[in-house]
Amino acid sequence: MRYFNTEGVCDPKEHYMVRLDGRLTCIKNTLVDRKKYFVINRGRQYGKTTTLAALEEYLQDDYIVLSLDFQQMGTEDFADAPTFAHAFANILTETLEINGMCDRKELTEPLAEIMGRESNSLKELFMCLSRMCRNSTQPIVLMIDEVDSASNNQVFVDFLAQLRGYYLKRDKMPIFHSVILAGVYSIKNLKLKLRSESEHQYNSPWNIAADFKISMSFSAEQIAGMLGEYEADHRTGMDIHAVAEEIYAYTSGYPVLVSTICKYIDEDLSGIEGFESPCVAWSKAGVAAAVKSMLKVSTPLFESMVRQLDLYEELRTMLENIIYQGMKIPFSPDEKVVSMGLMFGFLTEKNGQVAVANRIFEMYLLNLFMTKEAGRSEVYAQGGRDRIGFVRDNRLDMDLVLKKFVEYFHKICGEKEERFIEKYGRKFFLLYLKPIINGTGNYYIEAQTRDERRTDVIVDYLGEQFIVELKIWHGSEYNERGEQQLADYLEYFHKDKGYMLSFNFNRKKEIGVKEIQVGGKTIIEAVV
């Protein structure tokens, strides 16, 4: 029986997975067949290795595919050019043996020549590789996975420079028909890793690389196709398209996040209290429960995210500004911080602005930033002290939460200047709310409605959802428009009641909480 896999390469014979046929055809037709050299650089666990494995098999009828993994080469193999040349030839020979081509002398003899010499320069290595490509009866495609393993080594940059030289003169000096590198780091960022921070120039050996524009994320339709295969085997009775849309809403199609949600529902959720049957587990509520569990566990993907944010403080600051303040940052892929965020898979482009790549990343980052702040935050401590009074019969009293927050905020921030409250007001509410729902509920910021003036927080507490709009006061007309927006948003969520927290800088403002009716919806409006 197949299962959902979240570790290593996915195989359709063993795992439930999104079918890659369309992606493979596109890569072959638009890149490999056209003799392109290109780089698949995506965030961690984005399906790069699975794509390469499937592509290797897909190309075998038309090409000799030499697929390498630089994780097989140790740091010592990059010590200098002669050492690298010998190690590279050795790993190519092993690949030929694995693929049953050790009797192909036109391929093995040039590599044996390199390994038979005590010392080789990169030039001598490429002379042998060129002879191998010239003599081969089929064009040769070179794939190298995990190029990040080599990206801190100058000898690898020199290798790329040689490859570029041969590529530009390939009509006279035959070389690989196509070259495919895969990893997180883009080749143009190698110099950033090799040079000091004072030098911000980019590396040029790979300016021959074709753009890789093929999407590696999964669409809701593709997720539904995978769930359809699962449903054919298990007959749970799930609403396939509704579940697929919900998974996509949380993940934006990030492959490992999609598989992790499915794996949790399949293996851990079905049968426990509240999700007694598979049909109940495979639902929107089941997806939410899976996400909640994912955020409680340290995973390689999340650990990598923390490491990168520790290394790149400017990226952390940008993410905090987007999440807390709804800061609008114009999208420019050539700006260094944005480029880094795109490369790691943390950021994306939405309507010409920089945005966090998916809802799960937003939730994780919000938890991460909140946890860092909580230890020194009196606001967080106050929320923890007030918590007991807010939960009655396992239901969260959001009316009381807003009332108490208004009282507390006015006491500690009543005299603060406008800029301070604009910057920290929403953060204070989120800090106050976190210990109240922590461990039982969850919340996330709705990316589609967030901007400098408005942020919608979706709170989920034991299956009950609360929509809370946080907004900066910009006059009564804007406020009335915001009330109507919230009423419309409640209609979208099929809710009759919502909450609005306004940070008002009008000196004649009326602080407190009141109930109003807008378009048949009840809105609890709090003003601080």
Side-chain angles (χ1 to χ4, degrees), residues 42 99 118 200 258 361 378 389 417 430 433:
R42 293 291 188 276
N99 292 340
E118 290 187 6
H200 294 298
V258 172
F361 281 3
E378 176 56 31
E417 62 182 15
L430 294 172
L433 184 61

Side-chain angles (χ1 to χ4, degrees), residues 435-446:
I436 296 169
I437 65 170
N438 203 27
T440 305
N442 237 326
Y443 60 52
Y444 64 89
I445 296 172
E446 178 50 66

Side-chain angles (χ1 to χ4, degrees), residues 119-187:
S119 180
N120 295 276
S121 65
L122 286 178
K123 181 177 180 181
E124 289 171 322
L125 169 64
F126 271 88
M127 288 174 64
C128 291
L129 293 177
S130 179
R131 191 164 74 250
M132 180 178 72
C133 294
R134 178 187 292 112
N135 296 337
S136 175
T137 56
Q138 287 179 289
I140 300 176
V141 174
L142 177 68
M143 293 182 181
I144 305 178
D145 196 9
E146 298 292 347
V147 292
D148 305 80
S149 305
S151 57
N152 276 325
N153 298 280
Q154 186 62 48
V155 68
F156 179 60
V157 176
D158 296 338
F159 171 81
L160 291 180
Q162 288 281 339
L163 195 56
R164 176 183 181 274
Y166 270 79
Y167 178 77
L168 294 175
K169 299 178 180 178
R170 60 190 183 279
D171 56 331
K172 298 178 181 177
M173 300 186 299
I175 198 64
F176 303 109
H177 176 89
S178 178
V179 174
I180 309 166
L181 304 186
V184 172
Y185 280 90
S186 171
I187 295 299

Side-chain angles (χ1 to χ4, degrees), residues 91-122:
I91 197 171
L92 280 181
T93 301
E94 288 182 359
T95 301
L96 290 172
E97 291 176 354
I98 291 171
N99 292 340
M101 291 186 285
C102 54
D103 59 340
R104 300 280 294 271
K105 291 185 178 181
E106 74 276 17
L107 305 177
T108 58
E109 286 183 351
L111 298 176
E113 182 181 330
I114 298 170
M115 292 188 293
R117 289 197 293 255
E118 290 187 6
S119 180
N120 295 276
S121 65
L122 286 178

Side-chain angles (χ1 to χ4, degrees), residues 292-355:
K292 180 180 174 182
S293 295
M294 288 169 62
L295 295 173
K296 292 181 178 180
V297 179
S298 180
T299 67
L301 179 60
F302 291 154
E303 290 168 2
S304 174
M305 180 177 286
V306 172
R307 284 196 302 272
Q308 303 302 348
L309 295 183
D310 287 342
L311 283 172
Y312 301 101
E313 186 64 31
E314 291 180 15
L315 180 57
R316 175 188 286 267
T317 300
M318 177 182 285
L319 287 164
E320 287 183 341
N321 289 337
I322 292 172
I323 290 174
Y324 284 139
Q325 299 178 50
M327 184 178 289
K328 292 290 188 182
I329 301 172
F331 181 82
S332 173
D334 294 322
E335 202 283 323
K336 180 185 171 185
V337 180
V338 176
S339 176
M340 286 289 177
L342 291 171
M343 187 171 65
F344 296 138
F346 304 164
L347 298 177
T348 189
E349 180 272 337
K350 288 185 179 178
N351 302 319
Q353 305 290 332
V354 178

Side-chain angles (χ1 to χ4, degrees), residues 41-275:
N41 70 277
R42 293 291 188 276
R44 294 292 179 201
Q45 295 184 286
Y46 218 108
K48 300 181 294 295
T49 301
T50 294
T51 297
L52 289 186
L55 185 61
E56 179 182 1
E57 184 174 346
Y58 187 76
L59 295 175
Q60 282 181 347
D61 289 343
D62 300 313
Y63 300 99
I64 292 174
V65 181
L66 301 180
S67 180
L68 317 181
D69 185 338
F70 266 7
Q71 286 188 332
Q72 295 175 260
M73 298 177 69
T75 304
E76 66 279 3
D77 292 328
F78 296 91
D80 51 40
T83 304
F84 175 82
H86 189 278
F88 190 79
N90 186 52
I91 197 171
L92 280 181
T93 301
E94 288 182 359
T95 301
L96 290 172
E97 291 176 354
I98 291 171
N99 292 340
M101 291 186 285
C102 54
D103 59 340
R104 300 280 294 271
K105 291 185 178 181
E106 74 276 17
L107 305 177
T108 58
E109 286 183 351
L111 298 176
E113 182 181 330
I114 298 170
M115 292 188 293
R117 289 197 293 255
E118 290 187 6
S119 180
N120 295 276
S121 65
L122 286 178
K123 181 177 180 181
E124 289 171 322
L125 169 64
F126 271 88
M127 288 174 64
C128 291
L129 293 177
S130 179
R131 191 164 74 250
M132 180 178 72
C133 294
R134 178 187 292 112
N135 296 337
S136 175
T137 56
Q138 287 179 289
I140 300 176
V141 174
L142 177 68
M143 293 182 181
I144 305 178
D145 196 9
E146 298 292 347
V147 292
D148 305 80
S149 305
S151 57
N152 276 325
N153 298 280
Q154 186 62 48
V155 68
F156 179 60
V157 176
D158 296 338
F159 171 81
L160 291 180
Q162 288 281 339
L163 195 56
R164 176 183 181 274
Y166 270 79
Y167 178 77
L168 294 175
K169 299 178 180 178
R170 60 190 183 279
D171 56 331
K172 298 178 181 177
M173 300 186 299
I175 198 64
F176 303 109
H177 176 89
S178 178
V179 174
I180 309 166
L181 304 186
V184 172
Y185 280 90
S186 171
I187 295 299
K188 72 175 183 178
N189 284 296
L190 286 180
K191 187 165 285 189
L192 286 179
K193 301 186 74 180
L194 291 167
R195 298 289 186 91
S196 66
E197 280 300 311
S198 62
E199 297 182 57
H200 294 298
Q201 298 177 3
Y202 289 119
N203 197 26
S204 61
W206 204 251
N207 60 11
I208 56 171
D211 289 336
F212 184 79
K213 299 178 181 179
I214 298 166
S215 176
M216 298 277 285
S217 59
F218 301 152
S219 66
E221 183 179 355
Q222 288 174 316
I223 296 171
M226 175 180 66
L227 294 180
E229 294 185 13
Y230 177 88
E231 181 66 11
D233 289 342
H234 296 271
R235 303 191 182 282
T236 68
M238 77 167 94
D239 184 336
I240 291 173
H241 290 284
V243 175
E245 290 284 354
E246 191 71 2
I247 292 173
Y248 183 81
Y250 276 100
T251 65
S252 296
Y254 198 113
V256 74
L257 299 180
V258 172
S259 296
T260 302
I261 290 175
C262 294
K263 182 181 177 69
Y264 179 81
I265 295 174
D266 177 49
E267 299 181 6
D268 299 311
L269 190 64
S270 184
I272 69 173
E273 185 179 356
F275 299 96

